[in-house]
């Protein structure tokens, strides 16, 4: 009798143990089909609040709600079996107090079955990260450019260009690690900051516009496959042009439908059944 092999998911402690080892491969996923497609090749799958822009066409991540994150977390969990699935806490769901963060994170963990949550912020969030981790919720930190603070930062430009800001980002990362985060996303900082932070903390850093010295890398999956042909940020490498390919396929379909060359005989269901014609029904 053959036995079904249940693939075990990678856990947050296993991600933490990869510090200084083989690079940790991370990508975003928001849907079941995408999770199924990438599960075999990534160590960590992030249900990022970037879904606000990528899936919903919002101008920033600020309009993303906890219910949206939970719905997409559930979808991704239906498609992932190997990767460690982490779900973002959206803006407004965790910053007010550790208790507010616990309530939001507990909902995410219980209702999706994911392995951990991610939240943005450095020293200001250290108490909250400690509160969550001491109560059974693994947390992935996020420092450097923190998109939920876009209005305070004044845009999405590279962080850490001044010595003061570089030191602040490193202090933020150190505080997040000391508070118990199992890893830290380091977004869009000058390379020496990401490198120095990686050297200073005992948990893995996951870079996005960071440094090859980071312990892992993350990007938005739609960006690396070219789903948005006009969006070409410096820190993204494009490995395919699926947006252009998709438009080509849709144009071919549209012209075949217009020319009545689709559907062809191979797409129809032949039968000997005689069906009354419109002239015999009146
Ligand atoms: O929301 C997101 O997708 C992210 C990453 C790309 C780091 O936070």
């Amino acid at each position: 009798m053959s036995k079904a092999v249940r693939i075990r998911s990678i856990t947050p402690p296993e991600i933490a143990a990869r510090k200084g080892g083989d690079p940790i491969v991370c990508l975003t996923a928001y849907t079941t089909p995408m999770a199924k497609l990438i599960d075999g090749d990534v160590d960590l799958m992030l249900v990022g609040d970037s879904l606000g822009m990528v899936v919903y066409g919002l101008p920033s991540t600020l309009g993303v709600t906890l219910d949206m994150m939970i719905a997409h977390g559930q979808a991704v969990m239906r498609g992932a079996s190997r990767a460690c699935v982490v779900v973002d806490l959206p803006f407004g769901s965790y910053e007010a107090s550790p208790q507010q963060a616990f309530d939001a994170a507990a909902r995410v963990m219980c209702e999706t079955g994911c392995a951990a949550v991610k939240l943005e912020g450095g020293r200001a969030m250290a108490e909250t990260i400690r509160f969550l981790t001491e109560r059974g919720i693994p947390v992935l930190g996020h420092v450097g450019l923190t998109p939920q603070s876009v209005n305070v930062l004044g845009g999405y430009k590279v962080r850490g260009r001044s010595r003061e800001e570089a030191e602040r980002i490193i202090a933020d990362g150190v505080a997040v690690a000391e508070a118990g985060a199992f890893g830290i996303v380091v977004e869009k900082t000058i390379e020496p900051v990401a490198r120095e932070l990686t050297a200073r903390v005992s948990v893995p850093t996951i870079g996005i516009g960071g440094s090859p010295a980071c312990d892992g890398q993350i990007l938005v999956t739609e960006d690396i496959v070219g789903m948005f042909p006009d969006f070409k940020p410096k820190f993204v490498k494009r490995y395919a042009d699926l947006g252009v390919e998709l438009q080509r396929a849709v144009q071919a379909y549209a012209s075949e439908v217009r020319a009545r060359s689709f559907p062809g005989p191979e797409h129809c269901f032949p039968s000997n059944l005689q069906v009354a014609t419109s002239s015999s029904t009146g």
Side-chain angles (χ1 to χ4, degrees), residues 69-94:
M69 293 311 302
I70 289 171
H72 285 275
Q74 289 168 338
V76 167
M77 286 300 291
R78 287 193 280 272
S81 47
R82 175 185 170 276
C84 179
V85 176
V86 179
V87 177
D88 258 344
L89 293 185
F91 177 69
S93 72
Y94 65 94

Side-chain angles (χ1 to χ4, degrees), residues 6-90:
R6 166 111 180 85
I7 301 167
R8 196 180 66 78
S9 306
I10 298 168
T11 63
E14 285 167 339
I15 296 288
R18 299 266 297 267
K19 175 74 188 174
D22 287 343
I24 304 161
V25 180
C26 316
L27 280 174
T28 58
Y30 316 122
T31 64
T32 307
M34 185 64 87
K36 280 188 179 157
L37 286 168
I38 71 175
D39 187 52
D41 292 297
V42 301
D43 302 310
L44 187 149
M45 222 184 269
L46 174 69
V47 187
D49 61 354
S50 51
L51 65 81
M53 284 115 116
V54 177
V55 178
Y56 292 92
L58 294 172
S60 74
T61 57
L62 299 188
V64 175
T65 65
L66 193 56
D67 286 340
M68 285 159 82
M69 293 311 302
I70 289 171
H72 285 275
Q74 289 168 338
V76 167
M77 286 300 291
R78 287 193 280 272
S81 47
R82 175 185 170 276
C84 179
V85 176
V86 179
V87 177
D88 258 344
L89 293 185

Side-chain angles (χ1 to χ4, degrees), residues 28 30 46 48-50 88 118 120 142 185 187 208 218-220:
T28 58
Y30 316 122
L46 174 69
D49 61 354
S50 51
D88 258 344
K118 176 167 82 59
E120 295 183 8
H142 185 155
V185 170
E187 179 164 354
I208 169 165
I218 186 162
L219 286 171
V220 168

